[in-house]
């Protein structure tokens, strides 16, 4: 049993959009009230909602489960803060939401349904809101657990469905090594794989970056809260959305290329937060540039895309993948400026990232063999047994970590 999220575009009319905005404001009111009063227990907050309905009768105009999801959200925030505090990090009280800063609300279990009319147009019905035109670009298959209505920074509305599905078990007995690839993720080249393919990182168009800089200057010169300020801010958000869509499109196409071409994908289990902590942001220009590239490259998003697209994803330990020699296993220390791997023990010279991709593939094969999966070495006149898979496709690939 697995829950997956599906996102669809909504097209509300003016009347429905006003109701959606009103729901966001009601959720923001409850959120701020819980934070101000210091409530952390979900059960106590649900009881308080009942009392608040007596004081503020307008709260009865909203779906009860939607209001209860706000208390669940506040409770989850405080639980996350406790975990961070336990890890030794500095935490503070959640700040209050200003008007326009609350972006989503959730209908859980009930109060929603998707219907179609005679013209085969789809609508999302929400209790105490009404019917909203929805662009159902792919079918909803499975048990819908909840739907979240979200407003983007660019004032576009989306419905995010949490769907529960049952997938058949994915069985693998034999693996053709030619259908295994090791992927090294990096800053200079986004991907270097064990088949000697190299994909450069997506560089934002200078024109778009220049426009962002110009709009930022306009925003700084205008009075905050004025109509010209809001207009410039919407313009800025529109360009940011285009850049984000371009980056997301790049990651989707790249992940689809690898999942269609290979049966098993081995990739480093990177922790981008630790990568940023190990390279502190200071006055050093090189560190500032590295921080910017790590945040823009979206390694975590790419790995998550592989998780639900790939047949089998193997996450390997990233330690010393750059320093270890793929041929003899010796450790060859390097700095970030050293782009060539030269091992004095086996006298091999190779590109640094290429060496890392071979190490990632080697570690991935070791994990497969430890799981009892046979990696059949190709013979000169023999046919290699392909990966044995179930006929039906699954939504998310099983992923394995080293250790």
């Amino acid at each position: 049993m697995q829950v997956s999220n599906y996102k669809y575009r909504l097209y509300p009319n003016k009347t429905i959009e006003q109701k959606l905005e009103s729901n966001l404001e009601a959720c923001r009111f409850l959120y701020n009230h819980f934070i101000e009063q210091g409530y952390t227990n979900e059960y106590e907050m649900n009881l308080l909602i009942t009392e608040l309905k007596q004081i503020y009768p307008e709260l009865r105009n909203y779906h009860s489960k939607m209001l209860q999801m706000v208390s669940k959200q506040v409770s989850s925030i405080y639980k996350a803060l406790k975990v961070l505090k336990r890890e030794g990090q500095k935490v503070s009280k959640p700040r209050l939401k200003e008007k326009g800063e609350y972006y989503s609300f959730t209908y859980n279990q009930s109060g929603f349904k998707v219907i179609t009319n005679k013209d085969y147009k789809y609508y999302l019905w929400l209790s105490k809101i009404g019917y909203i035109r929805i662009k159902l670009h792919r079918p909803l298959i499975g048990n819908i657990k909840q739907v979240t209505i979200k407003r983007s920074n660019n004032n576009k509305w989306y419905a995010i469905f949490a769907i529960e599905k049952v997938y058949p078990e994915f069985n693998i007995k034999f693996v053709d090594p030619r259908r295994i690839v090791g992927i090294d993720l990096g800053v200079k080249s986004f991907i270097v794989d064990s088949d000697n393919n190299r994909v450069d990182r997506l560089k934002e168009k200078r024109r778009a970056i220049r426009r962002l800089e110009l709009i930022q200057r306009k925003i700084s010169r205008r009075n905050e809260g004025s109509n010209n300020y809001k207009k410039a801010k919407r313009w800025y958000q529109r360009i940011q959305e285009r850049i984000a869509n371009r980056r997301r499109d790049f990651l989707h196409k790249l992940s689809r290329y690898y999942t269609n071409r290979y049966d098993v994908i081995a990739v480093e289990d990177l922790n981008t937060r630790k990568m940023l902590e190990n390279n502190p942001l200071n006055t050093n220009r090189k560190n500032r540039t590295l921080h910017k590239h790590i945040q823009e490259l979206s390694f975590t998003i790419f790995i998550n895309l592989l998780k639900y697209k790939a047949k089998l994803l193997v996450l390997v330990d990233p330690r010393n993948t750059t320093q270890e020699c793929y041929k003899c296993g010796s450790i060859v220390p390097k700095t970030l400026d050293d782009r060539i791997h030269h091992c004095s023990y086996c006298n091999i010279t190779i590109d640094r990232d290429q060496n890392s991709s071979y190490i990632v593939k080697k570690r991935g094969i070791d994990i497969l063999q430890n799981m009892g999966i046979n990696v059949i070495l190709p013979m000169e006149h023999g046919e290699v047994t392909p990966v044995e898979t179930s006929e039906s496709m699954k939504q998310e690939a099983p992923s394995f970590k080293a250790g």
Side-chain angles (χ1 to χ4, degrees), residues 26 29-30 49 52-53 56-63 67:
F29 167 76
L30 285 180
I49 291 175
L52 289 174
K53 285 182 179 180
Y56 305 99
E58 58 270 20
L59 289 177
R60 296 175 183 173
N61 298 328
Y62 305 102
H63 190 59
L67 299 178

Side-chain angles (χ1 to χ4, degrees), residues 248-350:
R248 195 180 299 112
D249 179 71
F250 168 76
L251 294 175
H252 270 291
K253 289 178 178 177
L254 189 59
S255 59
R256 177 53 61 191
Y257 167 82
Y258 278 99
T259 53
N260 287 346
R261 192 178 180 88
Y262 299 98
D263 292 325
V264 180
I265 300 174
V267 66
E268 298 168 295
D269 187 19
L270 297 176
N271 188 333
T272 53
R273 191 175 73 176
K274 286 187 177 180
M275 291 171 65
L276 295 173
E277 290 175 354
N278 293 336
N279 297 278
L281 185 61
N282 52 28
T283 55
N284 189 338
R285 182 178 178 182
K286 184 183 292 186
N287 278 1
R288 290 202 304 271
T289 304
L290 183 61
H291 263 247
K292 181 181 177 182
H293 289 330
I294 291 175
Q295 291 171 340
E296 287 180 350
L297 288 172
S298 307
F299 294 136
T300 305
I301 296 177
F302 179 72
I303 294 173
N304 288 336
L305 292 176
L306 290 176
K307 281 183 180 180
Y308 81 85
K309 291 182 181 181
K311 295 179 182 177
L312 182 64
L313 179 68
V314 182
L315 301 177
V316 306
D317 188 352
R319 285 178 295 183
N320 290 331
T321 53
T322 303
Q323 315 293 336
E324 184 180 340
C325 178
Y326 86 94
K327 193 169 185 181
C328 65
S330 302
I331 300 298
V332 182
K334 304 180 191 69
T335 64
L336 284 175
D337 294 329
D338 298 327
R339 306 311 305 173
I340 301 298
H341 169 81
H342 177 73
C343 181
S344 57
Y345 298 96
C346 59
N347 199 28
I348 187 173
T349 301
I350 192 175

Side-chain angles (χ1 to χ4, degrees), residues 116-122:
T116 180
N117 62 6
K118 296 180 181 178
D119 298 330
Y120 299 101
K121 294 181 180 179
Y122 291 94

Side-chain angles (χ1 to χ4, degrees), residues 173-188:
K173 296 180 181 179
F174 307 103
V175 176
D176 178 354
R178 292 172 296 186
R179 301 283 291 177
I180 304 175
V181 66
I183 292 178
D184 174 68
L185 299 173
V187 174
K188 186 176 181 181

Side-chain angles (χ1 to χ4, degrees), residues 105-161:
F105 59 87
T106 300
Y107 276 56
N108 181 261
Q109 296 179 345
S110 63
F112 61 89
K113 62 181 177 181
V114 177
I115 62 171
T116 180
N117 62 6
K118 296 180 181 178
D119 298 330
Y120 299 101
K121 294 181 180 179
Y122 291 94
Y123 292 85
L124 171 65
W125 175 81
L126 296 175
S127 176
K128 298 193 176 182
I129 294 180
Y131 294 91
I132 313 171
R133 177 76 187 280
I134 182 173
K135 178 68 175 178
L136 214 64
H137 60 275
R138 52 183 170 181
L140 290 167
I141 302 175
N143 182 24
I144 303 176
K145 303 297 289 183
Q146 68 179 32
V147 59
T148 299
I149 307 302
K150 182 178 181 181
R151 183 192 63 197
S152 69
N153 288 332
N154 203 20
N155 288 327
K156 293 180 180 178
W157 294 90
Y158 297 92
I160 304 171
F161 293 90

